[in-house]
Amino acid sequence: GTTLRCQIPWQGDRDNMISRYDVQIHLDSIPDCSKLPKHEVSREEKAEEARCNYERYRPLILNTYKGVSESEALAKIDLEELFPSTDTHKLRKGDKHKSQAKAA
């Protein structure tokens, strides 16, 4: 009895009942994008998009140029996320030395 109360017709079809908590209810509804108003892209927005694409694809292009495979690049990122970078550690030490020099 309880499970039947949670069942609803999918897309209005009573022969195809699904749980009202099923995600298909939300995924099957695709809005018609042709009715949305057209957005005019300004020159500034195009320039910003170009800058974003440059930053987005720069590591891929550099890795291709250097001959670094995707798995090698991902392994390096994994290591950098697991262990603090020695360069970052050196920068922190450098900042400490600068603040000590200012104090003197």
Side-chain angles (χ1 to χ4, degrees), residues 16-36:
N16 194 0
M17 303 292 283
I18 62 172
S19 169
R20 69 180 190 188
Y21 303 109
D22 194 325
V23 73
Q24 290 182 29
I25 294 170
H26 304 289
L27 293 177
D28 196 62
S29 174
I30 301 172
D32 184 9
C33 294
S34 64
K35 295 179 183 177
L36 295 175

Side-chain angles (χ1 to χ4, degrees), residues 75-92:
K76 181 181 177 198
I77 291 169
D78 189 37
L79 283 174
E80 289 173 352
E81 289 178 350
L82 287 174
F83 303 104
S85 172
T86 55
D87 293 337
T88 305
H89 186 65
K90 287 178 186 175
L91 288 174
R92 288 185 187 147

Side-chain angles (χ1 to χ4, degrees), residues 8-100:
I8 60 170
W10 190 47
Q11 296 183 337
D13 182 4
R14 293 215 170 266
D15 293 330
N16 194 0
M17 303 292 283
I18 62 172
S19 169
R20 69 180 190 188
Y21 303 109
D22 194 325
V23 73
Q24 290 182 29
I25 294 170
H26 304 289
L27 293 177
D28 196 62
S29 174
I30 301 172
D32 184 9
C33 294
S34 64
K35 295 179 183 177
L36 295 175
K38 297 278 185 192
H39 173 72
E40 293 295 324
V41 181
S42 69
R43 179 177 283 169
E44 292 82 19
E45 288 173 316
K46 287 179 183 178
E48 180 66 23
E49 186 65 27
R51 285 190 296 271
C52 289
N53 282 332
Y54 174 81
E55 289 298 322
R56 181 179 296 131
Y57 297 112
R58 184 173 181 263
L60 296 173
I61 294 166
L62 288 174
N63 286 341
T64 301
Y65 176 76
K66 293 176 183 178
V68 177
S69 71
E70 182 178 356
S71 60
E72 290 172 326
L74 292 174
K76 181 181 177 198
I77 291 169
D78 189 37
L79 283 174
E80 289 173 352
E81 289 178 350
L82 287 174
F83 303 104
S85 172
T86 55
D87 293 337
T88 305
H89 186 65
K90 287 178 186 175
L91 288 174
R92 288 185 187 147
K93 282 184 178 180
D95 290 343
K96 185 177 180 182
H97 292 300
K98 286 180 186 176
S99 62
Q100 288 175 349

